Amino acid sequence: MKVLLVFTALLAAVFSRTTFEGDQVVRITPKDEAQIIRIQEMIEFEHLQLDVWLEPTTQPGHPIDIHVPFGSLQAVKAFLESNGIQYSIMIKDLQRLLDEEAIQTKRSRIMGQPRNTDSFNYAAYHKLDEIYSWMDMLVNENPTLVSKIEIGRSYEKRPLYVLKFSTGGSGRPAIWLDMGIHSREWVTQASGIWMAKKIATDYGRDASLTSILNKMDIFIEIVTNPDGYSYTHTNNRMWRKTRSINAGSSCVGVDPNRNWDAGFGGAGASGNPCTETYRGPFAHSESEVKAIVDFVKSHGNFKEFISIHSYSQMLLYPYGYIRTPVPNQDELVGFSVHSQHTLSTKAVSALSSLYGTKYRYGSIIDTIYQASGGTIDWTYNQGIKYSFSFELRDTGRYGFILPANQIIPTAAETWLAVMTLMEHARDHPY
């Protein structure tokens, strides 16, 4: 009887998981604005159930990556070919890639539970409970430097944990980093774990980091969307949004990076709950977003805010919802009268110095597309003038399914850029 119950439970787990056999990721390259419009029209055909991985930009020649279900492949390819739109196949069978990822993840667990943060496997993807256990170990090992704060609860009542790195004092200027607001971007949460360990390890050893922490606090929210992240491990690896219930709709979740009160409801966000960029019923409707908003406001002294996403290898700054340049754009780009090598240019150069990884940089609206309700537009409007967003590796070969052997290289190179940004915030107080 016990064997039967176990087998039944295993079957339930298998059949509750969304699979993607035969699905492909198609890269589309529009040659002009007319083709961009036609592609956008195709994306809006709900019956095709397209999942956009790289959004259309306003600039012809920039790639658009779309996850196409097997049942829609023929229709999509016929549409593109009839309109003379160039495309190629980036991922031939999405499920095969996911199966390979799952095998690697299971192999990493054979090592058993880590005894401490030194024996933790930073080159693997981990479930939510494993990450939370790791946080507790890091705090226990570094009680005078690291603490864990619960800033709220998710829609499904999971704790929203933030690690605080501080050498003492209250109300000090602070730096914020978050990862995983879009739950399927696993390399971001994994990079956050590595970076938090790096801070704990390097304090007192690395002069620059030590100087930063002697003047400022650092807050890291490694899993910003825990409901979505848990769901990617149990049901649907490609889940992006929160898991909140939408009144009057069978479609679940809100895009938490369209839910902020910065041009909320404008272009680049959807009012349709069944889309991946659904903005939500009102600004800050999502508890995961509202928790950060309340924490940032109550703290009142954040000087830098860095939100980390994947993929496409970019460093972005405001604005996304309007074309108006931010007042300190020259400084953000690196053409400030005070310094010719600050922030974006210097950060991207530092990142590239490790493995030669190339990044683009610029404002959201000019570099990728118009997007309203975004995180760093809101933080900038709150007076946090050093507000940035990263899009980590890669440029589309694997997309959101970045192999685990790229976690540490991705985190290490990104850390060099993050350090550059934090050093600038330290050296340019306001």
Side-chain angles (χ1 to χ4, degrees), residues 262-264 267 319-323 364-365 370-374 377-378 381:
F264 177 80
Y319 284 115
Y321 73 99
I322 51 173
R323 290 204 174 275
I364 297 168
I365 196 168
Q370 187 170 9
S372 59
D377 284 358
W378 181 84
N381 286 344

Side-chain angles (χ1 to χ4, degrees), residues 259-291:
N259 190 238
W260 301 73
D261 190 13
F264 177 80
S270 173
N272 181 351
C274 297
T275 62
E276 295 291 351
T277 57
Y278 175 52
R279 63 182 178 248
F282 54 87
H284 307 160
S285 63
E286 302 310 284
S287 54
E288 297 84 355
V289 172
K290 185 67 162 54

Side-chain angles (χ1 to χ4, degrees), residues 234-395:
T234 59
N235 293 74
N236 184 344
R237 173 64 179 85
M238 302 318 305
W239 190 262
R240 164 187 168 100
K241 300 188 288 183
T242 63
R243 293 293 301 165
S244 58
I245 302 300
N246 294 310
S249 175
S250 61
C251 296
V252 173
V254 166
D255 182 343
N257 200 36
R258 301 292 188 278
N259 190 238
W260 301 73
D261 190 13
F264 177 80
S270 173
N272 181 351
C274 297
T275 62
E276 295 291 351
T277 57
Y278 175 52
R279 63 182 178 248
F282 54 87
H284 307 160
S285 63
E286 302 310 284
S287 54
E288 297 84 355
V289 172
K290 185 67 162 54
I292 300 174
V293 167
D294 291 345
F295 187 77
V296 168
K297 285 185 172 181
S298 65
H299 184 281
N301 202 18
F302 278 98
K303 301 301 182 183
E304 189 161 58
F305 195 105
I306 301 170
S307 189
I308 298 181
H309 295 250
S310 73
Y311 64 97
S312 63
Q313 296 176 195
M314 292 185 288
L315 175 58
L316 305 169
Y317 53 80
Y319 284 115
Y321 73 99
I322 51 173
R323 290 204 174 275
T324 306
V326 293
N328 66 323
Q329 178 162 299
D330 283 351
E331 182 182 16
L332 299 182
V333 176
F335 297 109
S336 169
V337 294
H338 303 295
S339 173
Q340 295 181 352
H341 300 285
T342 56
L343 292 181
S344 296
T345 48
K346 192 174 179 182
V348 167
S349 177
L351 185 152
S352 298
S353 69
L354 192 58
Y355 300 110
T357 308
K358 302 300 181 186
Y359 267 56
R360 292 188 292 140
Y361 64 86
S363 68
I364 297 168
I365 196 168
D366 290 330
T367 308
I368 44 175
Y369 46 71
Q370 187 170 9
S372 59
T375 307
I376 64 170
D377 284 358
W378 181 84
T379 59
Y380 189 89
N381 286 344
Q382 295 300 304
I384 306 174
K385 74 174 185 175
Y386 301 134
S387 290
F388 290 92
S389 180
F390 281 90
E391 294 283 354
L392 304 185
R393 294 189 187 186
D394 58 6
T395 57

Side-chain angles (χ1 to χ4, degrees), residues 104-105 108-109 120-126 190 193 404-405 407-408:
Q104 290 300 319
T105 301
S108 71
R109 294 199 175 98
F120 186 85
N121 187 358
Y122 294 91
Y125 293 118
H126 295 273
I193 297 169
N405 62 13
I407 292 172
I408 293 176

Side-chain angles (χ1 to χ4, degrees), residues 189-209:
Q189 297 96 335
S191 294
I193 297 169
W194 187 94
M195 290 181 190
K197 173 63 173 177
K198 180 74 170 172
I199 294 171
T201 301
D202 282 7
Y203 178 71
R205 300 178 182 179
D206 180 272
S208 185
L209 177 65

Side-chain angles (χ1 to χ4, degrees), residues 126-177:
H126 295 273
K127 293 182 178 180
L128 185 65
D129 61 336
E130 295 170 338
I131 296 174
Y132 282 177
S133 295
W134 174 87
M135 287 182 182
D136 291 335
M137 285 192 294
L138 189 73
V139 171
N140 290 335
E141 291 170 6
N142 304 275
T144 62
L145 179 66
V146 190
S147 58
K148 186 179 74 174
I149 303 169
E150 182 179 323
I151 65 169
R153 291 266 164 165
S154 68
Y155 179 82
E156 295 178 342
K157 306 306 178 185
R158 290 183 174 87
L160 300 170
Y161 288 135
V162 174
L163 292 177
K164 178 183 179 182
F165 297 80
S166 179
T167 55
S170 60
R172 299 204 309 170
I175 297 166
W176 172 281
L177 293 93

